[in-house]
Amino acid sequence: MLLAHDEPLRIGPTGLPLLTPADIAFGYPIESRGWRTLTARTPAANPFRALRAALRRALRRHPCVIAFSGGRDSSLLLAVAADLAAREGHAPPVALTLRYADDPQADESAWQEAVVAHLRGRGVRFEWERRQITAELDLIGPVMAPVLRAHGGPVYPAALANTVVLADYAAGGSLVTGNGGDEILGNHRAAVLRAVLRRRGRGLSRSDWIVVGASAAPSPLRYLIARYKVTDPCWLRPAYRRAASRVVARNAARQPLRWDRSVLSARTSRAVTIGERTRGVVARGKDCALVEPLADDRFIAAYAAFGGHWDGLTRIAATRLLADGLLPDAVLRRTDKASFNASRFGSHSRAFASTWDGAGCDAELIDPDALRAAWLSDHPPAGTALLLQQAWLATAVTS
């Protein structure tokens, strides 16, 4: 069956995980939470200390490179790492920023400058390196092509070129990324409901009330809501499209209401395991230690214990607690995110898609015309990235 995922994780010849046909067709492993359990348990409900302990391990390997986009998570990690380095006598970290001159949707330069100015105004020391990106991060571009050829198949995450470029800078040291921040620090049902109770419902917009209703709803109703909200994978044949949408909705409906359980289950999926393994293999290949503090099992366990059953934090409150006054309030309250779609589906991808003849994809599963149209659209769906790599490999092998 296409959507069965009971088999153990399989590893390819390069050490990267192998993907199933379902993973590739839908764009990521879509099975339910609970595929793995956390390896750390701690009675200490102190996420503040746990975050700094994870960053301390990174600072002990120089250079300690922080992937700094200007978003909330990367700004938090840069601020805490630089402050910790000064307090404990470590070498200052290096903030590495990738900039996309030809992609306005990926432009976060104003946020980056604001964070840097604020930290330096407080006397916090760090180096700041900026690199202009053109076609390097294309899904089948010059960075990814040798990785895909060596592995013999698509890789998850498909946008792995970003990790390759960052790890090159961190060779011999450590690379710190904000992976895990969205799942761990936000999107917990109990935190939403508790915040509404504290405010007694005052000042909520219509969209806020929709979020509240979805958070409070029983599982069957949340399943229906999720089915309505699932992005339609238009490149799949109808039967598989419906099956994939049902799986995604079922997973969303299973999110626990209790705050600590929601936190502990947030990164226990097969998709997370594959992504962590893939990035780790790339980093080790560059003699680089990959450190993802917000996805660290010890941090997650401490964060879950801190909020207990029902006293969890909202995203803003959590970032404020962990930053300990190091970041400006505007950054803490930021809700928008940049989009990096154009750099991933770049010139190499579009040139390939324009001449693609359907090779490399199962026509019983995939509609080739719909898939090609998706690749050539103004905003190619992220879910088609693995199929792009699979199709390109099929053509590259036979050409």
Side-chain angles (χ1 to χ4, degrees):
M1 183 65 184
L2 176 70
L3 297 176
H5 279 312
D6 295 329
E7 62 186 78
L9 189 65
R10 298 182 299 126
I11 305 300
T14 61
L16 299 177
L18 297 170
L19 302 176
T20 69
D23 300 334
I24 297 168
F26 200 73
Y28 70 99
I30 60 175
E31 90 304 332
S32 63
R33 300 164 185 247
W35 193 81
R36 73 176 180 97
T37 57
L38 293 179
T39 58
R41 293 290 184 272
T42 175
N46 194 326
F48 181 92
R49 242 179 232 176
L51 179 66
R52 282 151 179 79
L55 284 166
R56 186 176 292 113
R57 293 192 294 273
L59 287 166
R60 286 172 178 160
R61 287 188 57 145
H62 189 70
C64 174
V65 175
I66 314 287
F68 174 56
S69 67
R72 283 181 292 184
D73 297 331
S74 68
S75 298
L76 168 67
L77 296 176
L78 173 60
V80 174
D83 181 66
L84 189 64
R87 292 176 184 273
E88 299 187 354
H90 303 289
V94 179
L96 178 57
T97 298
L98 305 183
R99 286 188 164 174
Y100 307 83
D102 299 326
D103 184 7
Q105 291 187 324
D107 182 17
E108 296 188 281
S109 56
W111 287 106
Q112 295 155 8
E113 299 285 354
V115 170
V116 169
H118 180 83
L119 292 176
R120 287 183 170 164
R122 293 176 57 93
V124 178
R125 294 178 57 240
F126 55 91
E127 300 176 41
W128 189 20
E129 297 286 341
R130 283 142 285 187
R131 172 170 175 177
Q132 295 296 327
I133 295 297
T134 54
E136 299 96 314
L137 303 189
D138 193 294
L139 292 163
I140 54 174
V143 174
M144 282 306 300
V147 175
L148 296 172
R149 288 180 184 274
H151 180 57
V155 297
Y156 181 83
L160 187 62
N162 185 71
T163 301
V164 177
V165 170
L166 293 169
D168 272 332
Y169 272 82
S174 58
L175 171 63
V176 177
T177 81
N179 285 313
D182 287 338
E183 303 97 324
I184 298 304
L185 299 184
N187 195 34
H188 301 297
R189 297 167 61 201
V192 171
L193 298 177
R194 184 172 174 79
V196 171
L197 287 174
R198 282 198 299 265
R199 295 172 55 179
R200 298 184 182 180
R202 292 190 294 266
L204 296 183
S205 66
R206 182 174 180 274
S207 59
D208 290 334
W209 280 114
I210 291 174
V211 173
V212 172
S215 298
S219 180
L221 182 53
R222 285 188 292 112
Y223 172 83
L224 294 177
I225 294 171
R227 280 294 302 271
Y228 176 78
K229 291 172 63 178
V230 169
T231 301
D232 182 27
C234 60
W235 57 92
L236 293 179
R237 297 294 186 186
Y240 295 111
R241 188 185 313 172
R242 290 190 295 270
S245 298
R246 285 194 296 269
V247 172
V248 173
R250 187 166 64 243
N251 294 344
R254 287 175 176 171
Q255 182 186 16
L257 177 58
R258 249 179 59 173
W259 194 82
D260 52 351
R261 289 179 178 171
S262 181
V263 172
L264 291 172
S265 69
R267 288 187 63 80
T268 58
S269 71
R270 181 169 167 272
V272 166
T273 301
I274 290 176
E276 289 178 347
R277 169 83 188 218
T278 300
R279 292 190 298 273
V281 169
V282 168
R284 286 193 296 276
K286 306 290 184 179
D287 186 27
C288 163
L290 179 65
V291 180
E292 299 180 327
L294 299 175
D296 183 272
D297 281 2
R298 284 161 288 195
F299 172 76
I300 295 172
Y303 188 61
F306 179 83
H309 295 355
W310 309 110
D311 292 337
L313 302 173
T314 62
R315 186 77 152 82
I316 294 172
T319 310
R320 180 175 287 117
L321 168 74
L322 296 170
D324 192 31
L326 293 170
L327 290 175
D329 195 62
V331 172
L332 299 176
R333 294 185 172 278
R334 182 183 176 188
T335 57
D336 63 312
K337 294 178 73 71
S339 170
F340 304 97
N341 207 25
S343 64
R344 277 46 171 178
F345 290 92
S347 57
H348 297 277
S349 293
R350 289 185 174 276
F352 169 77
S354 66
T355 60
W356 180 58
D357 62 1
C361 291
D362 184 350
E364 292 187 5
L365 173 63
I366 304 295
D367 180 339
D369 293 332
L371 180 58
R372 185 187 302 104
W375 287 339
L376 294 174
S377 67
D378 291 339
H379 302 284
T384 62
L386 296 176
L387 285 166
L388 177 70
Q389 293 179 342
Q390 178 176 263
W392 176 81
L393 273 171
T395 303
V397 168
T398 56
S399 60

